[in-house]
Amino acid sequence: MRAECDRDRSAPARLAVLFAAILITLLGTGLLNSAFAHAQDETYVVATDTTFAPFEFQDEQGNFVGIDMDLLRDIGKDQGFAVDIKPLGFDAALQAVQANQVDGVIAGMSITDERKKVFDFSDPYFESGVQMAVLETDNDVKGYEDLRGQRVAVKNGTEGATFAESIKAEYGFETVYFADSSSMYDEVKTGNSVAVFDDYPVLAYGITQGNGLKTVTPKEQGASYGFAVNKGQNAELLAKFNAGLKNLKESGRYQEVLDTYLGEEAVAADNSFFGLLKGTFPLLMEGLKMTVILTIISIACALVLGVIFGLMRVSRSIWLRAIGTTFVDIFRGTPLLVQAFFIYFGIPAALGFEMSAFTAGIITLSLNAGAYMTEIVRGGILSVDKGQMEASRSLGVGYLPTMRKVILPQAIRTMIPSYINQFVITLKDTSILSVIGIAELTQTGRIIIARNFQSFQMWLIIGIIYFIVIMALTKLSDRLEKRINK
């Protein structure tokens, strides 16, 4: 009996070792990648937003372009260093700098006294300003006095938001916050808000791209934009940026970059449905490829986790059952978004190492899906009549051979539909990983929308792609289930 109990405990242990090896490989890959990046003497990892045109966005070929991107690359050429751009989104970019996941951040970031307490800034590279815009067909709102009792859209962490907050008590309007400019503009186009406050170059670029708005107020004085590094870190990079910026201004290259995105050259592209589909299809397929890769690797790891902790959940050992229950409760009881932030920003900052966004994404999805797979495995095992185990054991067959040859084959038939369903759920959950900068399908769509502001048509295209993929998986699941049942 003691030997059988030992075997009962050793099965999950062996599977745990297997999964630990997978995790160590993923972590090691992330650490090696980051170490390799820093081994290149003059290569700096810089975080950015990529949804803040014309300062940073992705063109039709998938290149990161914009005022910030062009200036940074030109400064790098002038000063003899290369840059590795990490598109994380504004909030995540700031957290990445603070966690020392990247060397610096350039994202149309205003230099403020509060931010100076956390970051070291370069010399200003752009003098901004704020304007108010309304729907181009709106002839009622002509100034701040017309906002009384109305809602106004602003973007998190921008000068537009700061200015709106400073005058809203005087003019009696309510502010509502969004993560990107395109969402703000859509808020006004749907009629839920009557106006938007945004940085004037962003508004000007959006209007040329057909965002459906018009400006109705003069430019208000705004703050200066600066390149930032973590407080007390990367002083050499900051000095190179300042020196390169000075040289660009003296050579005239600085003004050329501004004219490219704020002058007459910034013209609208073909924004019809089929024009968008044709122009964005290669990028969307790259995003879909990343979504599928994340899903397949994560669901494979989740299956291993599900078997490990599923066996623990039905084990005769109270300690193994407690471990399995704790795992399930933690990862089913916390939001996936919180798990992604904790694994990508929290753990590396606490332990003092770097982790790639891809590695963090795989670990996040694997652990989250693994908790649900644990319950699927447990349910499948419990669905098999107890008499099957008793009959096998009465014939002298050990616990593990019985589980492997008698119980699990029957349980798998029950688990197949739930397993495919979890595969679909995990595929959709990959969209949450956009918050840590992984360019899966949803994030790719957000990046494209930041360039052309055609949110309705782009989300329709992305929705169709998701629908086709998920329906294909569903049909595959149905055929697989019928084949197994035969």
Side-chain angles (χ1 to χ4, degrees):
M1 180 64 72
R2 178 61 179 268
E4 290 171 356
C5 290
D6 289 340
R7 287 196 297 269
D8 182 18
R9 294 185 180 92
S10 66
R14 287 198 296 270
L15 289 170
V17 170
L18 174 62
F19 185 72
I22 295 173
L23 281 184
I24 289 171
T25 301
L26 288 171
L27 284 169
T29 301
L31 292 171
L32 287 173
N33 286 343
S34 63
F36 180 79
H38 286 285
Q40 311 304 308
D41 291 341
E42 300 297 330
T43 298
Y44 294 100
V45 182
V46 179
T48 191
D49 187 350
T50 69
T51 59
F52 194 57
F55 289 92
E56 47 266 335
F57 60 99
Q58 207 169 13
D59 65 14
E60 293 182 357
Q61 288 71 46
N63 303 312
F64 297 119
V65 297
I67 295 173
D68 288 357
M69 299 292 96
D70 288 9
L71 287 178
L72 183 61
R73 291 193 181 96
D74 287 342
I75 289 171
K77 290 178 183 177
D78 182 81
Q79 295 296 304
F81 66 84
V83 290
D84 179 12
I85 302 298
K86 297 295 182 184
L88 301 178
F90 187 75
D91 294 336
L94 301 191
Q95 293 181 57
V97 175
Q98 292 175 273
N100 292 318
Q101 291 278 64
V102 296
D103 298 308
V105 56
I106 185 166
M109 185 176 176
S110 300
I111 303 173
T112 66
D113 292 335
E114 284 298 313
R115 287 175 178 163
K116 285 181 180 179
K117 298 176 183 178
V118 183
F119 304 100
D120 289 329
F121 282 93
S122 68
D123 296 334
Y125 66 84
F126 188 84
E127 299 298 328
S128 185
V130 176
Q131 277 188 295
M132 184 178 81
V134 299
L135 202 62
E136 59 185 353
T137 57
D138 187 351
N139 296 317
D140 297 325
V141 179
K142 301 176 181 178
Y144 306 141
E145 62 279 359
D146 299 320
L147 297 177
R148 189 166 301 279
Q150 303 286 353
R151 278 164 51 107
V152 170
V154 294
K155 180 183 176 181
N156 298 333
T158 61
E159 281 298 304
T162 302
F163 178 75
E165 291 294 338
S166 71
I167 66 169
K168 76 175 188 179
E170 178 182 356
Y171 292 102
F173 60 84
E174 174 190 355
T175 53
V176 54
Y177 282 77
F178 293 89
D180 53 63
S181 295
S182 61
S183 297
M184 287 195 300
Y185 303 157
D186 288 339
E187 171 79 357
V188 176
K189 288 192 283 188
T190 58
N192 292 319
S193 293
V194 298
V196 58
F197 283 91
D198 206 355
D199 294 23
Y200 85 88
V202 180
L203 270 176
Y205 182 84
I207 289 172
T208 65
Q209 299 301 307
N211 67 4
L213 305 183
K214 65 180 179 181
T215 55
V216 291
T217 60
K219 183 178 72 172
E220 302 284 353
Q221 183 62 40
S224 303
Y225 291 168
F227 174 77
V229 298
N230 202 5
K231 194 73 174 177
Q233 307 272 341
N234 290 308
E236 181 183 5
L237 173 57
L238 214 55
K240 289 179 179 179
F241 185 93
N242 289 335
L245 179 63
K246 180 181 178 181
N247 292 342
L248 259 59
K249 287 183 176 180
E250 291 175 351
S251 68
R253 173 57 184 162
Y254 173 83
Q255 191 59 47
E256 290 179 8
V257 172
L258 295 189
D259 291 342
T260 299
Y261 298 99
L262 299 179
E264 295 181 357
E265 296 179 45
V267 296
D270 181 4
N271 289 331
S272 65
F273 179 85
F274 291 104
L276 286 173
L277 182 60
K278 179 181 178 181
T280 63
F281 190 76
L283 284 179
L284 292 174
M285 289 302 99
E286 285 297 314
L288 179 61
K289 177 182 175 182
M290 177 58 71
T291 293
V292 173
I293 291 173
L294 286 167
T295 303
I296 291 175
I297 297 176
S298 298
I299 206 68
C301 294
L303 179 58
V304 176
L305 276 173
V307 174
I308 293 172
F309 290 101
L311 291 174
M312 287 183 178
R313 291 275 278 148
V314 298
S315 172
R316 290 168 295 183
S317 167
I318 188 173
W319 296 109
L320 290 179
R321 290 201 304 273
I323 293 172
T325 301
T326 301
F327 170 76
V328 171
D329 289 346
I330 289 174
F331 289 100
R332 290 209 310 177
T334 55
L336 182 59
L337 181 64
V338 173
Q339 295 168 21
F341 276 127
F342 179 76
I343 291 171
Y344 185 57
F345 296 118
I347 293 177
L351 301 182
F353 70 93
E354 296 181 18
M355 183 190 302
S356 70
F358 180 81
T359 301
I362 291 293
I363 294 173
T364 302
L365 287 176
S366 297
L367 293 172
N368 184 269
Y372 290 92
M373 285 300 302
T374 296
E375 292 301 278
I376 292 172
V377 172
R378 183 180 72 91
I381 292 173
L382 294 179
S383 69
V384 179
D385 191 276
K386 291 182 180 180
Q388 299 284 320
M389 172 66 78
E390 294 171 357
S392 180
R393 297 304 302 277
S394 68
L395 293 174
V397 182
Y399 179 85
L400 285 181
T402 298
M403 185 66 72
R404 185 174 64 252
K405 297 179 179 180
V406 178
I407 305 300
L408 287 178
Q410 297 178 71
I412 287 173
R413 294 174 182 267
T414 306
M415 292 188 290
I416 287 293
S418 298
Y419 180 71
I420 298 296
N421 184 57
Q422 185 59 48
F423 189 100
V424 171
I425 292 172
T426 301
L427 186 145
K428 291 187 286 187
D429 282 346
T430 58
S431 62
I432 295 178
L433 298 182
S434 63
V435 299
I436 59 174
I438 297 179
E440 42 66 59
L441 184 56
T442 300
Q443 174 69 351
T444 301
R446 290 181 66 245
I447 291 172
I448 293 171
I449 291 169
R451 177 182 77 233
N452 57 31
F453 299 99
Q454 303 300 312
S455 58
F456 173 78
Q457 296 186 84
M458 282 310 307
W459 288 128
L460 177 61
I461 292 171
I462 292 169
I464 291 172
I465 294 173
Y466 271 119
F467 178 78
I468 292 172
V469 172
I470 291 172
M471 283 302 297
L473 283 173
T474 303
K475 297 301 181 184
L476 177 62
S477 168
D478 293 341
R479 293 192 64 180
L480 184 61
E481 185 178 357
K482 290 177 181 177
R483 202 164 187 178
I484 290 175
N485 289 332
K486 287 182 179 179

